[in-house]
Structures are given as structure tokens and as C-alpha cells.
Amino acid sequence: MTTDALGTAAVGRGGALLVVGDVITDVVARHRGPLAAGTDTAAAIRTVPGGAGANVACWAAHGGGAEVRLLGRVGADAAVWHERELAECGVRPRLVVDPEAPTGTVICLVDTGEGAERTLITDSGASLRLEPDDWSDALLDGVAWLHLSGYLLFSEPSRALVAVALASARARGVPVSLDPASAGFLRELGVDRCLSLVEGVDVLLPSRDEACLLTGLPDAADAADAAAKLSRHVPLVVVKQGAMGAVIARSGSVYAHVPAVAATPRDTTGAGDAFTGGFLAALLAGAAPEVAAADGCLAGALAVERVGGRPPMPD
């Protein structure tokens, strides 16, 4: 599939978006200023549904248009809650209930200062125990696009699932996107290994930090340079830059800079997932990648003004 055909090919089939990825319980602690080591730090704490894969699915459903499905793995402790929350967002969940591991949990420490930056403390739990046995080629019936959460790259069982899902999608001619998800985990996995695992992906949606890491460029490098370099490995690369918007590259060259949408951040948790969901919903509706990226920027702006990584519930 060519990058020029990415949008129209999906629309021509008129099918669903299938997201495969993590379903997580987020504990969001919003505090102001540095944490007080060895004593108490006052914070507003909420428990909300999250997970990069689940968030992407919810924001894609929020964008309207195509049916959105989600394959994930949870523990019995929170399976009913997560299934209900996903369904209320308009997502059709297929959640595998793990007989041993609990649902993954992430503690999100959010500084309520101007940037609302967050630090994530992650226990992946059942989410990274997705395995090839959880996959069926029938999951692609009626599907026009497959999106994989990059968190799947960070355990042996879910890496094996990625390989099976990619092969199945290629056999059916279904385009595939992937969001690398975590610069910290990517560093542990190794750049060369990561690039080999994403071979065959049509669209890569890294953050600027992830793009720099994957290309070996310094942290201060321009996102455009990283996007251009990455697009020699993946047909279409969309680098997310938060308040700096997005950069799109293909065939080794940048061809679009998309401005951000102004927002007053409260919590940046899930902003990149919101961008990805908005982008994919627009792409499936027939938008060109640069137009889809504008929708992604709008979703990201809406996300940072909310606590947690999910869109508002539909009326």
C-alpha cells in the first residue's frame, strides 16, 4: 500500500477500526510543585479508566464515523468496569480476562503547574500478557484499519501477538499503524529491535522524544529531522509535539507541519493517545494525513483540559 492511498484505501472498504492494546486503571494524583520526599504531598486523587490502546479507541469513537473495536487483556478485578466504560465511549470491547494477573495500574503524578506535566509509575499487570492465543484472524472481519499500541512491544507474549496480527493484516491488505508509547521502555527494548518489530507498519505516530530516540538524534534535535529520518523505515510518520503541533513525513522528507490548537492544560495524561485517536478517525473518514493530523491536534487540546486520558462521555 502506498502512503498516498492510506486514507482512501480504508474508506473504500468502509470498515471498522480495530485497536489492539493496553487497558489500564489510572490513579491520577494532581499536586502542585515538587513532591515532598519522606512526608506528605497534598493532591487531588481520582481513579479513572485508561491505557494507551483503550484511550486511542475511545478518542477514535469520539471522533465519530467508523465503528471502533478494542482487543485487550484485563484482570477479573476490574473487567466489568472497564467493559462498561469502553462501551459507554462507543467502543466495542473484546476483553480477555486473565486468570492470574490483575488489571494493569498506572499512577499518574501530575504537576498542576503551567505545563501540567506528568510522571507515570506503571504496573502493566494483565495488559502485557496478551498473547497469540488471544488473536483470531476473524478479528479482522469487517476491519479497514488495525492500530497497535506500542506498549505491546514491551513483553515477549505481546510481541508475539504483534507479529501474528501484523502478518494477518498484511495477508488481508489491512493497513496498520503503531504508536511507540514510551521513550523509557523503548530505551530498554533497544532501537534496532524496535525498528525490526515495526517492520511492515504503514503509519508510525511517535512523540518527538520517541522519534529522536528511534533515529539516534539528540534530545534537542528538530522533530522534522527525526520525522524525515524515520520515514525511510516506515511509509508515513506523524511526529506529535504537544503544544508545537505535529510534523508529517514520508519517503525521507517532511511534507507538512500542522499547528497545535491552543489549550489550557490541566492534565497531559493521554494527550498523545487522543491525537492518535482523532487522527485515525479522520483518516478512516477519508481525510488526507495533514487534515487528519489537524483533527488529532484538536483532540489533544481537548484531552489536556480534562483529568484522565478519555474523552467526555457522549450525551
Side-chain angles (χ1 to χ4, degrees):
M1 176 172 296
T2 67
T3 53
D4 289 334
L6 286 173
T8 55
V11 170
R13 285 189 292 270
L17 167 66
L18 172 62
V19 178
V20 182
D22 44 321
V23 180
I24 296 288
T25 299
D26 284 345
V27 179
V28 182
R30 300 178 69 242
H31 61 94
R32 189 164 192 86
L35 298 173
T39 186
D40 296 316
T41 298
I45 300 175
R46 286 179 57 190
T47 299
V48 295
N55 291 345
V56 167
C58 289
W59 281 99
H62 182 73
E67 175 189 318
V68 180
R69 308 172 188 174
L70 173 71
L71 172 65
R73 193 174 181 104
V74 295
D77 57 316
V80 173
W81 179 58
H82 277 292
E83 185 167 305
R84 183 180 68 245
E85 292 288 327
L86 288 162
E88 288 182 358
C89 279
V91 176
R92 288 184 57 189
R94 176 168 175 168
L95 301 184
V96 179
V97 179
D98 195 293
E100 299 176 6
T103 303
T105 300
V106 172
I107 298 174
C108 311
L109 303 176
V110 182
D111 187 338
T112 58
E114 183 177 344
E117 286 302 324
R118 84 279 192 267
T119 299
L120 306 181
I121 302 173
T122 302
D123 177 354
S124 298
S127 67
L128 295 191
R129 288 164 59 93
L130 267 174
E131 59 184 8
D133 285 348
D134 297 328
W135 178 262
S136 165
D137 288 347
L139 288 167
L140 291 177
D141 290 349
V143 167
W145 195 281
L146 172 65
H147 177 73
L148 302 171
S149 168
Y151 280 105
L152 297 172
L153 302 178
F154 306 134
S155 79
E156 288 295 344
S158 55
R159 277 194 290 270
L161 173 71
V162 166
V164 170
L166 270 172
S168 183
R170 281 197 296 266
R172 293 202 183 195
V174 174
V176 183
S177 54
L178 184 140
D179 186 330
S182 169
F185 285 166
L186 282 176
R187 195 171 286 109
E188 292 180 20
L189 178 66
V191 170
D192 290 343
R193 192 176 189 192
C194 178
L195 290 175
S196 68
L197 289 168
V198 302
E199 186 175 347
V201 166
D202 298 282
V203 181
L204 194 67
L205 294 127
S207 68
R208 190 192 67 82
D209 289 348
E210 292 155 5
C212 289
L213 178 62
L214 288 171
T215 53
L217 293 172
D219 291 344
D222 190 284
D225 293 338
K229 190 171 181 180
L230 263 182
S231 69
R232 299 188 184 105
H233 298 277
V234 178
L236 187 72
V237 174
V238 183
V239 176
K240 299 172 287 188
Q241 301 186 91
M244 298 289 290
V247 177
I248 307 176
R250 58 185 175 192
S251 303
S253 299
V254 169
Y255 84 93
H257 293 261
V258 180
V261 175
T264 302
R266 293 184 66 205
D267 175 11
T268 56
T269 304
D273 305 332
F275 178 102
T276 297
F279 174 86
L280 292 175
L283 203 65
L284 277 165
E290 61 271 26
V291 177
D295 278 23
C297 286
L298 176 59
L302 292 173
V304 300
E305 294 187 330
R306 298 176 51 78
V307 174
R310 297 282 176 87
M313 290 291 187
D315 295 331

